[in-house]
Amino acid sequence: MTAVAEAAAPPPPGAALAPAPSCGALFLGFLGLGLIGFGGVLPMARRMLVEERRWLSAESFTELLGLCQFLPGGNVINLSVAVGMEFRGAAGAASALLGLVLGPTAIVIGLGVVYDRFRDDPTLQHMFAGLAAAAAGLLVATALKMLAPLRRNGRALLVVAATLIAIAVARWPLLPSLMVLAPASILLCGRRGR
């Protein structure tokens, strides 16, 4: 195997986690994440945190993201704060959050100026349609990766299926769905003895 292929391969399931990152490492990790994952950071966040830097296990990432999705605000913003708090407290949370938002904020301001000038151009409109399709594909790929740690947990898969049916098929609003499914999932996990 080449060095590039070895570096891209995910760590084996039992691989040891890396040492706790410093505030500088959190800032740089999330800065890179914000810059390369502009517009769709969640798929890259999992890859960076679990596979590349090994700061979190796959299970820890899934549990932490589940908590972050329940909290108000952007999921990845919440995730950066939670990861920073986990390793370095308030300073780590501030470092990770600042790293995540600094690059994209500058890019958005620049793109806003350019878009205002060229918004009626058909080429630009086609480009945005293609970007939307790519973002949807990344979201589906991440969802499948996040299901992997749950494949032997029938109760968790039941909650995932119920959520998918409630939101995607029945088109129930998010808040009422969460108000029913979150306590149900806690009860199911509680009976499992976790």
Side-chain angles (χ1 to χ4, degrees), residues 5 11 53 55 57 92 99 141 155 166 178 186:
R53 299 197 184 226
W55 290 344
S57 67
R155 291 181 175 158
L178 281 176
I186 292 168

Side-chain angles (χ1 to χ4, degrees), residues 141-179:
T142 300
L144 293 174
K145 281 186 177 181
M146 289 177 62
L147 276 175
L150 302 175
R151 69 178 173 265
R152 291 186 198 98
N153 185 341
R155 291 181 175 158
L157 290 175
L158 180 65
V159 172
V160 169
T163 305
L164 183 65
I165 291 168
I167 306 267
V169 177
R171 303 233 182 239
W172 291 348
L174 180 62
L175 187 58
S177 299
L178 281 176
M179 291 176 70

Side-chain angles (χ1 to χ4, degrees), residues 30-166:
F30 280 97
L31 177 67
L33 185 64
L35 289 173
I36 66 168
F38 185 75
V41 178
L42 185 58
M44 284 83 160
R46 184 191 183 284
R47 189 160 131 218
M48 189 261 299
L49 292 169
V50 175
E51 297 171 10
E52 292 174 359
R53 299 197 184 226
R54 295 186 341 259
W55 290 344
L56 298 172
S57 67
E59 294 81 14
S60 296
F61 177 85
T62 300
E63 290 173 4
L64 197 57
L65 181 62
L67 171 66
C68 292
Q69 289 176 328
F70 189 70
L71 297 172
N75 296 336
V76 177
I77 297 282
N78 292 343
L79 184 66
S80 70
V81 171
V83 169
M85 285 293 289
E86 174 85 18
F87 293 116
R88 298 291 171 197
S95 298
L97 180 60
L98 185 60
L100 183 66
V101 300
L102 189 64
T105 300
I107 292 170
V108 164
I109 291 169
L111 286 176
V113 170
V114 172
Y115 181 75
D116 189 48
R117 170 99 166 87
F118 298 105
R119 72 175 145 221
D120 296 326
D121 185 350
T123 304
L124 188 64
Q125 292 172 352
H126 290 299
M127 185 178 74
F128 280 122
L131 287 172
L138 286 171
L139 187 61
V140 169
T142 300
L144 293 174
K145 281 186 177 181
M146 289 177 62
L147 276 175
L150 302 175
R151 69 178 173 265
R152 291 186 198 98
N153 185 341
R155 291 181 175 158
L157 290 175
L158 180 65
V159 172
V160 169
T163 305
L164 183 65
I165 291 168

